[in-house]
Amino acid sequence: MGVPMQGDPPDDVARSARARIGWLREDFADRTRARAATLNQLLLGSVVFVLGILIAIGPFTGDIVLFFTGVVVVFVLTGATLVIPWNHVGYGWVAVVPAVDIVAITLMQLAAPGSALGLLWIFPTTWLAAGFGLLGLFAVIVAIAGIVSVLAALNEQQVTYATVLLPLVLIAVATTSHLAARRSDAQRTLLAKQARLLRRVLDRTRRQEQEVTEVLDAVDFGVIRIAPDGQVAVTNEAHGRLQQAIRSEDEDAGDDVPAFRDDGLTRLPQDELPVERALRGEAFDGQVVWFGTEAGPRQALSITARRLTDMSGEDAGAVVISRDVTTELNALRARDELVASVSHELRTPLTSILGYLDLAIEDPDLPEHLRSNLDIAERNAERLLGIIADILAASSSSVSVEASLAPVPIDAREIVRAAAEALAPRAATRAIAIDTSGLEEAQLWADPMRVRQVVDNLLSNAITYNREGGTVYLGTTGDGTSSWILVRDTGMGMTDSERAHLFQRFYKAGPARRAGTGLGLAISRDIVRAHGGELGLHSTPGVGSTFIIKLPAKAPEGATS
């Protein structure tokens, strides 16, 4: 019932729904009307019943027959209100009950003119004034004024303040009841509007919640919503599938599946797990975690956490997003292993070729034109050997880079100054000036050869991609805890999209940057990170680029210098 049939037009369905709502409201109003009629009449009947008992057992100087005639009328009306189905009677007919009550009380007042029985008029007058609006209030004023006037005339009483006091009080009480009823109706109307508004808001909120749930369940990455108290408030189906896949790949571990860093070898401590970090209030991007033992099947997740704030700026918890990157990482690893294998196989014969070229060039009987050709061949072979060395370095894991470091206390100024002197002839061929006035004392705890490799690469790029007659600015500084090396050029700069991919292996930014292998910056960042530092970049198209190397200034605790 209430579900539209398939053939019903939408307008008919809407009209039917509005009709049902109207019927429900009218039914509620009818039930309220019947209840009000019964309660009001029972209250008056109860008072009259007690009054009748008191008069029956005590002295009464008035007309006893006329008094009990009024009492019987009240009792008959009380019984009628209990029997008559007011829900099926017009609302105006309900006013007959208080009107007849006024007549019955008038009979009781006539039975004892000097008594205070007229106070009983308060019950029907307040009922009429409160339940029937201005018309009811007007009827009360006219009825009370008329009845009091008639009674005064019949009893030939002199009009004094006592004569008008009772009708004035009755009219004042009726007016107060009318105003209170109006306020009550206004409040009920307001509450009804607010209830309808809240229902609409609740329905809209439920629809939005359903839409968000459907969207979250449709995506292929896991989502966890963490409340401010640390409780997991929302998860989607993809997160459950990822967790199930992790457990199924390592069934022996149960719920405690071992987790490893992005290298797949170093065990990840419990307090560095992504969810633990998010619970501590941290925000991070793309933390790669391998789950499962090294011997068995494993799964890699890239996990990102974002902090949330409410409208007042207070912390509202976090959202943790996890994505399965196992296939991607395995593909990258396979590519690096293939490239490393091929490069290693090429390096041995290429070294032999360079050796024989050196022997041929050193032959004093070699004609000059052949010597020139062999020089070209040697330069290209050396370049090819350098490319192979870069590929092998790029394919090495960060663990192997870190293991090959031999850090010692050094001054960054000396390394940068030596790199500037070595590349000064190359810069001079394009009229590019190298400004070393920004070099300050900056102590490092680093491998001198590896830092020189990074500075050489950055300075070489700054010269290669600078404009003719430009300038390369070099600087060093430190604060005792960390030290910084700055390399800034006045070249072409880079766009945001180029900067986003610049440190990826084999990436070359734009047509003007097609030279080289695309491995230099990736290798440089790996070296800097192996030292516990970071390599940053600021670039503006048409203005130039600035690379900043941050390295530790002193040995970590427990290290020996």
Side-chain angles (χ1 to χ4, degrees):
M1 181 176 175
V3 179
M5 300 300 291
Q6 186 173 0
D8 292 343
D11 292 340
D12 292 344
V13 174
R15 282 194 295 270
S16 176
R18 287 194 294 269
R20 285 195 298 272
I21 293 173
W23 178 81
L24 290 172
R25 290 176 178 171
E26 292 176 1
D27 180 66
F28 177 77
D30 289 340
R31 285 187 279 108
T32 303
R33 182 193 315 162
R35 188 164 54 249
T38 303
L39 291 176
N40 280 315
Q41 190 60 30
L42 279 176
L43 182 61
L44 175 60
S46 300
V47 174
V48 170
F49 177 75
V50 173
L51 186 61
I53 292 176
L54 293 176
I55 291 176
I57 63 176
F60 184 68
T61 58
D63 188 343
I64 192 70
V65 175
L66 188 60
F67 172 80
F68 276 102
T69 300
V71 171
V72 170
V73 173
V74 172
F75 286 167
V76 171
L77 286 176
T78 303
T81 56
L82 295 173
V83 175
I84 296 175
W86 298 107
N87 297 345
H88 305 290
V89 178
Y91 187 53
W93 289 102
V94 181
V96 173
V97 178
V100 176
D101 282 336
I102 292 176
V103 174
I105 296 169
T106 302
L107 293 177
M108 288 187 282
Q109 180 67 23
L110 282 172
S115 66
L117 293 174
L119 289 174
L120 294 175
W121 279 320
I122 287 179
F123 294 98
T125 54
T126 53
W127 184 0
L128 284 171
F132 298 91
L134 288 174
L135 182 61
L137 179 62
F138 180 74
V140 167
I141 295 173
V142 172
I144 294 300
I147 291 172
V148 171
S149 300
V150 171
L151 290 177
L154 291 175
N155 296 323
E156 297 180 354
Q157 293 179 348
Q158 184 179 0
V159 178
T160 63
Y161 75 90
T163 307
V164 299
L165 180 59
L166 178 60
L168 287 177
V169 170
L170 291 174
I171 293 172
V173 171
T175 303
T176 302
S177 300
H178 171 74
L179 294 176
R182 290 288 299 273
R183 284 195 298 269
S184 178
D185 290 341
Q187 290 176 350
R188 279 198 299 269
T189 302
L190 178 60
L191 289 174
K193 291 181 179 179
Q194 291 177 340
R196 289 194 297 271
L197 177 61
L198 288 175
R199 280 196 298 271
R200 289 197 296 269
V201 172
L202 181 60
D203 292 340
R204 185 167 62 249
T205 302
R206 286 174 176 170
R207 287 195 303 271
Q208 292 175 347
E209 181 181 1
Q210 180 65 25
E211 291 172 359
V212 171
T213 301
E214 292 174 353
V215 170
L216 288 177
D217 289 339
V219 298
D220 60 352
F221 50 83
V223 179
I224 306 175
R225 169 71 166 87
I226 300 176
D229 59 358
Q231 298 295 322
V232 176
V234 177
T235 60
N236 67 340
E237 292 182 358
H239 172 73
R241 290 194 299 269
L242 290 175
Q243 296 301 313
Q244 185 177 3
I246 290 172
R247 293 189 179 95
S248 64
E249 290 182 355
D250 199 339
E251 297 177 354
D252 296 334
D255 292 336
D256 188 17
V257 179
F260 298 84
R261 297 186 187 275
D262 55 357
D263 58 13
L265 302 174
T266 308
R267 187 71 180 262
L268 192 65
Q270 180 70 23
D271 60 348
E272 293 187 24
L273 289 173
V275 175
E276 296 294 331
R277 294 178 61 188
L279 291 175
R280 290 198 302 269
E282 296 185 34
F284 49 88
D285 287 318
Q287 180 184 2
V288 176
V289 181
W290 284 91
F291 292 95
T293 57
E294 187 176 2
R298 315 178 75 190
Q299 187 171 26
L301 298 182
S302 176
I303 303 173
T304 298
R306 287 283 184 274
R307 303 304 304 175
L308 303 177
T309 55
D310 56 21
M311 297 181 63
S312 61
E314 298 294 330
D315 183 70
V319 171
V320 180
I321 300 172
S322 54
R323 185 171 62 90
D324 188 354
V325 293
T326 308
T327 304
E328 300 173 24
L329 294 182
N330 286 337
L332 290 174
R333 180 174 297 178
R335 184 198 66 180
D336 290 343
E337 290 175 354
L338 175 63
V339 170
S341 176
V342 173
S343 300
H344 182 75
E345 295 299 327
L346 289 175
R347 184 166 62 174
T348 300
L350 189 58
T351 303
S352 177
I353 292 172
L354 281 170
Y356 280 101
L357 284 174
D358 285 338
L359 291 175
I361 292 172
E362 292 176 359
D363 187 356
D365 298 330
L366 186 68
E368 191 61 32
H369 67 282
L370 291 178
R371 186 184 303 276
S372 177
N373 292 337
L374 291 176
D375 285 336
I376 296 174
E378 184 182 35
R379 285 196 302 272
N380 284 277
E382 289 176 348
R383 181 173 177 272
L384 183 58
L385 188 62
I387 292 174
I388 292 174
D390 286 345
I391 293 174
L392 289 173
S395 62
S396 300
S397 65
S398 58
V399 175
S400 62
V401 173
E402 187 173 355
S404 65
L405 297 180
V408 295
I410 53 173
D411 189 344
R413 288 181 302 179
E414 303 301 325
I415 294 177
V416 175
R417 188 175 289 113
E421 292 174 355
L423 291 173
R426 179 178 168 186
T429 59
R430 301 185 59 209
I432 294 175
I434 299 179
D435 186 346
T436 59
S437 60
L439 298 181
E440 302 176 359
E441 182 180 359
Q443 294 298 318
L444 299 178
W445 174 257
D447 186 327
M449 290 184 58
R450 290 294 196 171
V451 175
R452 173 65 185 272
Q453 180 182 350
V454 174
V455 175
D456 283 346
N457 181 61
L458 297 180
L459 183 54
S460 176
N461 288 344
I463 295 171
T464 301
Y465 303 114
N466 212 327
R467 57 181 173 81
E468 295 287 341
T471 304
V472 176
Y473 298 92
L474 301 177
T476 56
T477 188
D479 60 4
T481 302
S482 299
S483 294
W484 292 267
I485 300 174
L486 178 141
V487 179
R488 180 165 65 90
D489 62 59
T490 57
M492 63 187 72
M494 285 173 282
T495 63
D496 291 339
S497 60
E498 290 173 340
R499 289 200 302 272
H501 303 283
L502 190 63
F503 293 102
Q504 294 179 1
R505 296 176 183 179
F506 305 103
Y507 176 76
K508 300 179 183 180
R513 295 179 178 269
R514 294 301 182 188
T517 61
L519 292 170
L521 289 176
I523 296 171
S524 297
R525 188 173 68 169
D526 287 344
I527 293 173
V528 173
R529 287 183 172 179
H531 282 85
E534 190 56 65
L535 176 60
L537 166 65
H538 302 281
S539 185
T540 303
V543 177
S545 302
T546 301
F547 287 87
I548 301 175
I549 307 170
K550 179 184 178 182
L551 292 169
K554 54 186 178 181
E557 295 183 6
T560 57
S561 58

